[in-house]
């Protein structure tokens, strides 16, 4: 999938209907000149994600979540154990003290969730290439009720642009 | 859920919801005025308590946890339905949650913030709190006691607030981008900053969906853990009436019941104030009522089992506390709790009642009253009489405590209403997913994409 940043020039086909967008996407996605396409939608319609599946793959956000959770659980237990080590409670002369692991499960669990959630948000942002205040919004309708396919380095008179129009694009423009 | 009959299309969502946000009707200002008034009453009462000391509150030996800790547990409980609706119902693919999840998440965030005020109010001279709590480790090189349920609670509630905030804000990002695309000048720059420059590309949606699912998966055990940990504040002690293993599931069920009832209590008026009748449909509200009924029956079962366990345990102190709860000096609170949480919600078995906004609203308010009294009952009836008759006492809330309680409702509703005035109370991007898909009518009127 191409970058969201639209420094490049290209052609933007705006669609009113979801099925038209899917059909257009199916027709153009195999073409060598359309490898860098990007699709815009007002909501996360799974139909579109399924059509573009081979481009998308499985989201890598899961690795962020996993690393966050593991570091959280380690930090939770580590924090309590370090405090024990720093101020040992000696019972019956047994050193280095009491490590109340069942009680520390709570800290391991809570920090696992906390770090995991923060890392997930970071993953969503990093993988979605956010924050990016310079992102150019092609058309204000795209966050409302319209869909769009953007193909960089393409002319509006090209064959691909014609295909997009045939599939039901309500507007095909150079951007 | 019965099939929703939509009289709006996806194209109406942004227009309808954002116009409602910008032009609330007069009842919004009326509600805001009442909320701010309550907030001011509470602020004055707190100022009075700070000026004259904790002696003017009803707290005494042996009841050191009175209305303030009741309020703390009550507000944490209220916060639970938000994440239940957002996370658990998301994982179960319950589509109806898409129309009310934003209100529920906002409710969660503000309810947990409200709950967080009460330990501060309860310490009395609040300016000493940071003095004694910092630094860690303290000057004797002592760490906090990680074996104490109170510090577990600090971690649980802080994590819950943070995760709820993140969940809520990430849900808002696409909607803020929609608002940006309709704004000009400074507002546009601000909304672009707040939405991180979101453009709604498939790449962004793909990772957003994955992240949202992971957040939901993380938030689900969190919901269950937080009120379990709150219950351990009580259950880990040896106090009769508190020291029981049923507390965690009992508290979680109660929290979800009060949260669902509170969501209904706030969504129904907000729906009217912001003209959202076309988006929050009666079928969605009915589903919420069914969830309330379900949790009410679980709570009913928990109350019964709690009594059974007290009797069956053979522990005479435990049984004495329970008998006194039902027939002793605090029996009024107990029966309010039973009627409001267990008996009145049984009316929801009737479809006619479920479809009556007025009746549902009244019963949901009563459930909130009942859930408040449940916490009051648990805390007070156990604390007044422990093992030693010589240390028995009595507790009645003082006026200042009641006024601060009123103030907490004012604080909660003021923030909630301010939020609703500036941001959509229905998640626009998620609502579009449960509405009829925008398909080309000339192609396949009823076909698949």
């Amino acid at each position: 999938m191409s970058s969201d940043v639209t420094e490049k020039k290209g052609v933007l086909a705006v669609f009113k209907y979801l099925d038209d967008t899917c059909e257009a996407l199916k027709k153009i996605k195999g073409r060598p000149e359309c490898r860098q396409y990007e699709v815009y939608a007002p909501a996360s319609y799974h139909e579109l994600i399924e059509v573009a599946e081979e481009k998308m793959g499985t989201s890598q956000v899961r690795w962020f979540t996993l690393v966050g959770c593991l570091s959280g659980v380690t930090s939770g237990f580590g924090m309590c154990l370090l405090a024990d080590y720093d101020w040992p409670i000696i019972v019956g002369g047994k050193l280095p003290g009491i490590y109340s692991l069942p009680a520390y499960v709570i800290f391991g669990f809570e920090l696992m969730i906390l770090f995991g959630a923060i890392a997930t948000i970071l993953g969503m942002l990093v993988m979605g290439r956010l924050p990016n205040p310079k992102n150019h919004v092609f058309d204000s309708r795209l966050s409302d009720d319209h869909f769009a396919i953007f193909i960089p380095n393409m002319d509006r008179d090209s064959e691909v642009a014609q295909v997009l129009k045939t599939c039901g694009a309500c507007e095909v423009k150079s951007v | 859920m019965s099939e929703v009959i939509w009289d709006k299309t996806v194209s109406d969502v942004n227009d309808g919801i954002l116009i409602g946000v910008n032009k609330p009707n007069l009842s919004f200002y009326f509600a805001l005025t009442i909320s701010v008034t309550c907030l001011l009453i509470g602020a004055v009462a707190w100022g009075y308590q700070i000026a004259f000391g904790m002696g003017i509150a009803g707290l005494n030996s042996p009841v050191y946890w009175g209305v303030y800790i009741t309020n703390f547990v009550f507000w944490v409980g209220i916060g639970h339905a938000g994440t239940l609706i957002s996370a658990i119902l998301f994982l179960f693919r319950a589509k109806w949650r898409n129309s009310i999840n934003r209100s529920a998440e906002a409710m969660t965030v503000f309810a947990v913030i409200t709950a967080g005020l009460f330990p501060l109010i309860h310490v009395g001279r609040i300016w000493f709190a940071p003095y004694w709590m910092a630094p860690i480790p303290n000057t004797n090189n002592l760490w906090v006691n990680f074996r104490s349920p109170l510090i577990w609670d600090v971690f649980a509630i802080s994590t819950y607030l943070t995760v709820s905030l993140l969940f809520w804000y990430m849900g808002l990002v696409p909607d803020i981008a929609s608002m940006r695309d309709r704004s000009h000048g400074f507002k546009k720059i601000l909304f672009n900053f707040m939405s991180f420059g979101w453009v709604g590309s498939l790449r962004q949606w793909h990772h957003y969906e994955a992240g949202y699912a992971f957040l939901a998966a993380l938030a689900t055990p969190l919901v269950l853990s937080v009120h379990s940990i709150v219950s351990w504040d009580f259950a880990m002690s040896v106090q009769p009436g508190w020291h029981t293993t049923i507390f965690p599931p009992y508290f979680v069920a109660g929290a979800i019941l009060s949260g669902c009832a509170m969501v209904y209590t706030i969504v129904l008026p907000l729906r009217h104030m912001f003209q959202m009748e076309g988006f929050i449909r009666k079928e969605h509200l009915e589903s919420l009522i069914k969830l309330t009924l379900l949790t009410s029956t679980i709570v009913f079962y928990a109350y019964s089992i709690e009594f059974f366990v007290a009797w069956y345990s053979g522990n005479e102190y435990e049984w004495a506390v329970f008998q006194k709860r039902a027939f002793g000096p605090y029996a009024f609170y107990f029966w309010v709790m039973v009627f409001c949480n267990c008996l009145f919600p049984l009316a929801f078995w009737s479809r006619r009642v479920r479809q009556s906004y007025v009746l549902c609203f009244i019963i949901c308010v009563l459930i909130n009253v009942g859930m408040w009294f449940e916490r009051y009952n648990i805390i007070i009836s156990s604390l007044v009489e422990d093992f030693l008759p010589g240390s028995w006492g009595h507790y009645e809330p003082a006026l200042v405590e009641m006024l601060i309680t009123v103030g907490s409702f004012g604080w909660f509703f003021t923030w909630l209403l301010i939020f609703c005035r500036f941001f959509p109370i229905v998640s626009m991007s998620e609502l579009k997913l449960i509405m009829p898909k925008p398909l080309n009518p000339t192609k396949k009127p009823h076909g698949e994409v």
Side-chain angles (χ1 to χ4, degrees):
Chain A
M1 190 69 26
S2 70
S3 159
D4 301 319
V5 184
T6 55
E7 295 295 330
K8 305 166 201 168
K9 302 284 181 193
V11 67
L12 183 81
V14 181
F15 295 85
K16 190 160 172 43
Y17 300 110
L18 175 62
D19 48 351
D20 290 348
T21 319
C22 287
E23 190 188 329
L25 190 56
K26 278 178 195 162
K27 284 191 177 161
I28 60 124
K29 68 176 183 176
R31 290 172 176 255
E33 68 270 37
C34 300
R35 282 205 186 114
Q36 298 290 307
Y37 72 83
E38 183 58 277
V39 183
Y40 297 90
S44 60
Y45 286 105
H46 286 202
E47 292 84 349
L48 286 169
I49 294 174
E50 277 166 23
V51 174
E53 199 173 10
E54 67 270 23
K55 277 261 187 191
M56 300 282 199
T58 309
S59 173
Q60 301 304 309
V61 173
R62 61 201 166 127
W63 296 111
F64 286 84
T65 311
L66 180 67
V67 171
C69 288
L70 289 177
S71 55
V73 77
T74 315
S75 309
F77 277 104
M79 174 181 68
C80 304
L81 292 171
L82 277 176
D84 270 348
Y85 178 76
D86 191 43
W87 189 278
I89 297 175
I90 302 164
V91 178
K94 293 172 188 158
L95 284 176
I98 299 174
Y99 296 115
S100 311
L101 288 177
Y104 303 161
V105 168
I106 288 155
F107 298 93
F109 176 81
E110 293 298 335
L111 292 194
M112 176 188 78
I113 304 279
L114 180 66
F115 286 26
I118 293 171
T120 304
I121 298 286
L122 283 178
M124 286 159 83
L125 294 176
V126 169
M127 298 309 296
R129 299 187 184 166
L130 297 170
N132 191 349
K134 287 183 182 170
N135 262 358
H136 175 63
V137 179
F138 287 120
D139 196 313
S140 62
R141 290 174 295 176
L142 300 184
S143 60
D144 188 353
D145 57 348
H146 280 62
F147 302 82
I149 298 176
F150 170 72
I151 304 163
N153 307 317
M154 186 71 66
D155 194 345
R156 62 180 292 192
D157 299 323
S158 63
E159 192 203 334
V160 171
Q162 292 307 316
V163 171
L164 293 170
K165 208 160 199 172
T166 322
C167 290
C170 57
E171 193 180 350
V172 178
K173 55 186 177 182
S174 295
V175 287
Chain B
M1 186 182 77
S2 49
E3 193 65 35
V4 180
I5 302 155
W6 293 97
D7 54 7
K8 306 265 185 194
T9 65
V10 166
S11 300
D12 298 322
V13 170
N14 285 24
D15 289 335
I17 292 175
L18 293 177
I19 287 171
V21 168
N22 290 327
K23 287 184 183 166
N25 60 31
L26 271 179
S27 54
F28 167 81
Y29 296 100
F30 179 67
L32 188 62
T33 309
I34 294 177
S35 303
V36 172
T37 309
C38 291
L39 172 59
L40 291 175
I41 290 171
V44 170
W46 190 13
Y48 179 71
Q49 178 180 282
I50 288 173
F52 290 91
M54 288 299 282
I56 59 162
L59 301 170
N60 58 58
S61 173
V63 184
Y64 294 109
W65 283 5
V67 163
Y68 296 143
I69 300 302
T70 302
N71 283 331
F72 168 74
V73 181
F74 172 77
W75 283 112
V76 173
I78 291 293
H80 272 61
T83 313
L84 172 99
I85 287 167
S86 297
I88 301 181
L89 295 184
F90 174 80
L91 294 180
F92 280 107
R93 300 285 184 261
K95 288 182 177 176
W96 61 271
R97 52 73 82 182
N98 285 23
S99 66
I100 55 165
N101 69 328
R102 174 68 48 73
S103 328
E105 288 165 20
M107 181 195 78
T108 291
V109 170
F110 298 125
V112 177
I113 291 172
T114 310
L117 288 177
F118 279 97
L120 298 176
I121 294 170
H122 190 243
V123 296
R125 289 178 286 180
I126 184 174
W127 52 96
F128 279 129
Y131 176 81
W132 289 113
M133 285 163 69
I136 294 174
N138 70 11
T139 44
N140 288 331
N141 205 27
L142 274 172
W143 291 85
V144 291
N145 183 6
F146 289 115
R147 297 166 191 84
S148 161
L150 297 182
I151 194 75
W152 302 349
D153 214 11
V154 171
F155 273 78
I157 303 280
S158 315
T159 302
Y160 190 57
L161 178 62
T162 313
V163 173
S164 301
L165 262 173
L166 292 174
F167 207 32
W168 176 56
Y169 195 78
M170 279 319 291
L172 266 170
V173 165
D175 286 359
I176 298 176
S178 298
M179 292 163 76
R180 170 202 63 199
D181 294 344
R182 292 167 165 254
S183 311
H184 304 282
F186 174 71
K187 266 189 171 178
K188 196 177 186 76
I189 296 169
L190 178 69
F191 287 144
N192 195 40
F193 175 76
M194 290 175 72
S195 64
F196 305 118
W198 176 272
V199 289
S201 66
L202 218 50
R203 159 190 280 278
Q204 289 177 348
W205 281 122
H206 179 52
H207 296 299
Y208 178 86
E209 275 279 294
Y212 200 85
F214 282 122
L215 272 183
L218 288 171
T220 298
L222 182 65
V223 178
L224 304 179
S225 79
V226 172
H227 228 56
S228 298
I229 292 174
V230 171
S231 81
W232 290 335
D233 287 347
F234 304 97
M236 296 294 282
S237 74
V238 293
Q239 197 79 13
W242 285 1
H243 187 62
T244 165
T245 49
I246 199 180
F247 258 34
Y250 167 30
F251 266 53
V252 171
I256 293 172
L257 170 64
S258 64
C260 288
M262 188 58 114
V263 172
Y264 195 94
T265 313
I266 64 172
V267 164
L268 195 69
L270 287 177
R271 178 175 177 260
H272 170 69
M273 286 172 199
F274 294 95
Q275 303 109 54
M276 299 288 172
E277 287 87 349
F279 304 105
I280 304 174
R281 308 292 295 169
K282 71 171 194 289
E283 292 85 355
H284 302 146
L285 293 173
E286 196 183 338
S287 296
L288 182 60
I289 287 297
K290 285 178 185 169
L291 191 62
T292 311
L293 174 61
L294 170 72
T295 43
S296 163
T297 52
I298 297 173
V299 168
F300 197 170
Y301 176 74
Y303 288 170
S304 318
I305 283 292
E306 199 191 15
F307 256 79
F308 173 76
V309 169
W311 169 75
Y312 194 66
S313 68
N315 183 328
E316 56 191 292
Y317 300 101
E318 186 82 6
W319 183 231
V321 164
F322 277 83
Q323 280 179 312
K324 281 216 163 176
R325 271 188 190 171
F327 305 109
Y330 302 97
F332 171 74
Y333 308 120
F334 175 83
W335 291 108
V336 168
M337 167 187 114
V338 170
F339 273 88
C340 291
N341 299 338
C342 306
L343 301 180
F344 295 146
L346 292 178
F348 290 149
W349 285 107
S350 155
R351 174 182 277 262
R352 194 176 291 175
V353 174
R354 285 201 305 270
Q355 292 185 341
S356 160
Y357 296 138
V358 176
L359 282 177
C360 287
F361 184 78
I362 291 171
I363 295 174
C364 284
V365 170
L366 287 173
I367 290 173
N368 282 313
V369 171
M371 287 311 298
W372 191 91
F373 276 106
E374 181 204 288
R375 279 63 182 259
Y376 184 82
N377 187 52
I378 290 171
I379 292 173
I380 308 306
S381 66
S382 281
L383 279 181
V384 286
E385 294 178 0
D386 63 4
F387 298 100
L388 297 172
S391 64
W392 289 3
H394 183 69
Y395 174 80
E396 289 294 337
L399 180 65
V400 71
E401 290 171 291
M402 297 316 296
L403 293 181
I404 289 175
T405 304
V406 169
S408 73
F409 281 87
W411 163 271
F412 169 78
F413 280 107
T414 302
W415 286 115
L416 185 76
L417 289 170
I418 289 173
F419 165 74
C420 297
R421 175 63 187 80
F422 292 102
F423 295 98
I425 58 158
V426 175
S427 173
M428 298 189 293
S429 63
E430 289 181 86
L431 186 69
K432 287 169 192 167
L433 296 174
I434 59 167
M435 295 179 83
K437 290 191 172 114
L439 303 179
N440 191 339
T442 60
K443 260 185 184 168
K444 300 169 188 167
H446 304 292
E448 291 297 308
V449 175

